[in-house]
Amino acid sequence: MERLWEITLTLVFSVCVLLTCVNVAEKHAGVKRNVRSSQPQLEVTEFHVKSVVVSRYARTTVISSVFNPQPHAQEATFEVDLPPTAFISNFTITSNGKEYVSQVKPKQTAKKIYEAAKEKGQTAGLVATRKEFSDKFSIAVSVPPGERLSFKLSFEQLLARRLGSYELVLGLRPTQPVQNLTVEVTITERTGISWVRVLPLRTDQHLSNTLADDKGGDIGTLWRSEKRARVFYSPSIEEQTSSSPKGLSADFVLKYDIIFTDLIGDVQVYDGYFVHYFAPQELPVVPKEVIFVIDVSGSMSGSKLEQTKEAMDTILTDLRRHDYFNIVTFATDAYTWQSNGTIAATAANVKRAKDFMKKLKVRDSTNINAALVKAGHLLRSSASSQEGSRGVPLVIFLTDGEANHGVTHKPTMRGNVREALGPAALFGLAFGRGADYDLVRQLSLDNRGVARRVYSDSKVVLQLKDFYDEVASPLLSDIQLSYNDDQAFDVTRSLFPNYFQGSELVVAGRIHPGARNLDVTLNAFDTKKHLTAENSILISDPQPSEDPSASESTLDQEEISGFVRHLWAYMTIKELLLTAENTSDPAALAELKQNATSLSLKYNFVTPVTSMVVVKPEAQEEEKEKEKEKEKEKASDEKEEEDLDEASSPGSFRRKAQLMPAPPVKSTRTHSGRSFASSGDGDPHYVVHLPKLETNLCFTIDGHASDVIRLLEDAENGINVDGRLMWAPPEVGHEDVERTYFDQIVVSRSGAEPVVVTVTLDAVNVSRQGGPDRTLKTGAVGSIRGPDLWVHIDEHLRCWVDLGQGISFLVLLHHYKHPDYLQLNHLGFYLARADGLSVGTQGLLGQFQHADIKIEERERPEGLRRAQARDGSVLGLGTLRRGTARVPVTLKRKKLKDTVRRPHAGLCWEVQKADVAKILAQPYEAYIQRSDRLSPTFMH
């Protein structure tokens, strides 16, 4: 079978068609693609790009639909370049109204699945990194004849700060005009947005905003407030074809910066993880000592050398008077401009250096090792002089080829360069496609620096000057960001060699359970003094602001809470793989790659060790799968019903928990013990069974992330149940509507046998007064028993909390193997047995157990048979009466989860959101628990 990238393309999407690319200067070279087939290309019917940026963290979703008009299958291949910190998190194909969600697998496993599907003629897609470029992703999709497919791709990216701003670049290259093309970007920054601008479309994708010609005005529509900004862009067909009949082939570029308020930086803590953004302002620029190492081998002849000379003329002019510099050129051998170390950047010396550059000529081979070792010797010669340190030591290295003279063995070369450069930072530039970028990258990473590509088909002079500007103004060296070991663990890289003006350093980590503060310490140096700073971050729920304009900015804390965890995981994976690159021990290498693979699979990330594959089953296979699912569901339902019968039997319960006495029944509820009394699940939806009416009541309340809701409060029995909400991504088109899930349920009982049971997605903790805490992992069967207590995780990995006396709760742990954008792992709460609850029970759900509620049905749609109605159908209208409140309700057929069996179609009286407050015994805010009223479990 042909390799994916050698297949003749009938639909070609260039570099950023399905992905947003950020920090374009870091992107790898894309492969030039030409359509060789005479067949008409696939038709792109819609193309939507939506990016949500919260505290520098961008999550982008691209939805693209294509139609194959040919009588045979065609393969659409997308190749995408990503900056090093981006990762793909979801890829979905929709065909004939059915979604096929991708699976992340180890790289070779995914490739075998994809190729096997292709051979069968099945619709399949593969997302994988290319070997040539560690951050290049390819997506190959086979499109059947006459079929319309939709693709949804999501990826996440930490925006890098460069030259004093953040840049978001969205590729718009559909290769043809698209009738329905939109771009939408929203930005939220907790500390405030300093400025934001949408630049004219950029046609040269290799240039940064600071260098591209800003001809014309800004595009799109921009809304902005103090802490939020939103941009919408939807070009017409005429606008798309104004410069080419093939439509847009450009980048949508948004640039912004934020308000900085603290020297030690912005530390954000969410759900047991933290991220620390460090970008101090108003520090003086310190002197630098820089060696320019320039390739003048034969391959640099012509325009390459002339462009380098032009760029160096500008760079030398920008040297400050307190800087020191020198120049090393290399071909077969290395040559120094000044043999005795570095010299001051006086006007006269700069002029002499420019004259030297003008006279350079190409010659012979490429001896990279000799050149960099020579640069190291020059820096050491200056450091050993009587003057001492002359500034931050830097080496800027440019080459367009491979090492073919002198030392060419890469491990030996890397060792030689490390020893020669010592504390100096090496910044490598790989010029053109013939350059050995992998070697340049390894040398740079070995020596405290970074590497970039220089694209020879673009404006080289501007690219070289842009890269130099990033490192031209050092502010600090040897920056150490430290965190108390008792509070933080699994911290990513926190020691940085240099901090340059206009950039930002980022650290992520995890917080120990129970930590109330995160103590941060900064240690850094300029050339003359030692800088230290400390701060203590309170780990608590965000408090409401007294600033009336601040309400719109609260989303930044809520939206990012799910992303910080992902950011930490990806940074950790990157560091594991980087360590693996520098490891020669086979056992250590295997362990590092295994850890990186495990973490990638856990977080559904496409990384260099994993791939994402999606396959649409054939029709016969789909029918077989449906039959299998039906059989499994039937068997599971029968088993679950048996489990519930057993769990609902007091006698059986005594057999399982002999420490518990037979529970007397306190109420005379008439409805079957099989049905749950009430529940809160999803995002969340509440369902309450009204025992006196033998009917169900459904309602939804829009809570806020970090709210702790008192679900049940029975003062007579001393029982409370609290549920904590976490943030969930908003639905597309409804970003102003907040979504939440439960991520923690706490059941507490006071009295003679006080106990607190805390259920999270990972563990169940049982805390009893006077005894040690006991913990169950949610991924395995287990039980904890005690007086009037049985906490049990069954074989279906459901958590049961039975307090005896006819009171038990069920907590469902929803884990998604392949979540889409809207889905997050979460908990569902169910009041399984409520017989023992007292008449005075309150709480958001508890209040309905003995409430005096009446529902009068007013009318029913004619000709509609309830048993045959579809889900969501309106089956009747009525009025709910509770005390003096009168609210309209609608009888609907819905999917209900009111037993341990799978959700089923049932009837429910739905209360509109606007009317829910009227049927509650207290205002909704009264059910929100303050920190000082919670059990210690909630003070993490």
Side-chain angles (χ1 to χ4, degrees), residues 11 13 17-18 44-48 62-66 78 149-153 174:
L11 172 63
F13 280 2
V17 173
L18 283 188
V44 183
T45 58
E46 61 178 333
F47 187 79
H48 304 292
V62 179
I63 299 175
S64 180
S65 297
V66 297
F78 310 89
L149 296 181
S150 292
F151 313 99
K152 181 169 70 172
L153 190 66

Side-chain angles (χ1 to χ4, degrees), residues 16 19-25 27 49-54 56-62 82-83 85-86 155-162 165-172 183-189 195-202 205 207-209 219 229-232 250-257:
C16 287
L19 285 183
T20 298
C21 296
V22 184
N23 198 358
V24 74
K27 296 192 300 183
V49 182
K50 179 179 176 60
S51 188
V52 178
V53 182
V54 184
R56 293 79 134 179
Y57 199 84
R59 179 168 184 138
T60 299
T61 298
V62 179
L82 289 174
T85 55
F155 83 102
E156 299 171 25
Q157 166 70 37
L158 175 66
L159 301 188
R161 189 166 185 263
R162 297 176 54 246
S165 66
Y166 304 92
E167 185 179 84
L168 177 68
V169 181
L170 311 180
L172 302 178
V183 179
E184 184 178 359
V185 180
T186 59
I187 304 171
T188 305
E189 290 289 347
W195 57 270
V196 60
R197 186 185 174 193
V198 183
L199 298 184
L201 290 179
R202 177 195 294 163
Q205 64 191 44
L207 295 180
S208 73
N209 269 342
I219 64 171
R230 179 175 179 268
V231 177
F232 184 79
D251 291 324
F252 178 92
V253 182
L254 183 146
K255 194 173 180 181
Y256 77 98
D257 201 12

Side-chain angles (χ1 to χ4, degrees), residues 449-609:
V450 297
R452 297 279 174 80
R453 291 184 181 274
V454 176
Y455 302 91
S456 55
D457 55 355
S458 189
K459 298 179 180 179
V460 172
V461 175
L462 298 178
Q463 293 181 68
L464 294 174
K465 178 60 168 58
D466 180 39
F467 180 68
Y468 169 75
D469 286 344
E470 289 188 48
V471 299
S473 302
L475 302 180
L476 296 171
S477 296
D478 296 321
I479 304 99
Q480 174 71 66
L481 298 169
S482 303
Y483 312 89
N484 192 315
D485 290 341
D486 294 333
Q487 301 165 344
F489 67 107
D490 286 348
V491 178
T492 61
R493 176 190 179 193
S494 59
L495 175 62
F496 303 90
N498 296 294
Y499 169 66
F500 297 98
Q501 189 176 61
S503 66
E504 185 171 61
L505 307 178
V506 183
V507 181
R510 302 177 66 183
I511 302 294
H512 281 296
R516 296 175 180 268
N517 297 81
L518 177 62
D519 297 328
V520 183
T521 303
L522 162 68
N523 284 279
F525 297 86
D526 61 18
T527 55
K528 296 182 180 180
K529 62 180 181 295
H530 177 204
L531 175 67
T532 62
E534 295 181 351
N535 197 0
S536 183
I537 311 301
L538 179 65
I539 302 175
S540 62
D541 297 332
Q543 298 300 316
S545 172
E546 296 179 0
D547 180 2
S549 65
S551 58
E552 63 178 354
S553 68
T554 57
L555 284 178
D556 65 318
Q557 300 181 27
E558 296 154 11
E559 287 180 333
I560 200 172
S561 60
F563 295 150
V564 174
R565 182 168 53 251
H566 286 221
L567 171 61
W568 165 83
Y570 191 73
M571 292 177 69
T572 301
I573 293 168
K574 282 284 183 178
E575 292 181 6
L576 287 169
L577 294 175
L578 182 59
T579 304
E581 284 187 36
N582 298 300
T583 300
S584 57
D585 178 47
L589 179 64
E591 183 179 359
L592 287 166
K593 288 192 172 182
Q594 180 58 48
N595 291 340
T597 301
S598 298
L599 206 54
S600 300
L601 296 175
K602 178 179 179 179
Y603 284 87
N604 211 54
F605 294 164
V606 177
T607 69
V609 291

Side-chain angles (χ1 to χ4, degrees), residues 97-109:
K98 185 171 183 179
E99 283 193 347
Y100 302 91
V101 182
S102 57
Q103 304 175 54
V104 174
K105 300 286 187 181
K107 183 176 284 293
Q108 293 304 317
T109 302

Side-chain angles (χ1 to χ4, degrees), residues 288-292 323-328 335-345 349 352 374-385 387-388 390 394:
K288 62 180 177 291
E289 187 177 21
V290 56
I291 307 291
F292 299 99
D323 292 335
Y324 283 76
F325 75 107
N326 202 342
I327 301 171
V328 174
Y335 307 89
T336 58
W337 171 53
Q338 299 293 315
S339 59
N340 297 320
T342 57
I343 62 174
N349 287 339
R352 290 168 56 205
K374 179 77 74 173
H377 290 164
L378 290 172
L379 289 172
R380 290 194 175 189
S381 175
S382 299
S384 62
S385 67
E387 300 175 25
R390 292 178 170 179
L394 308 174

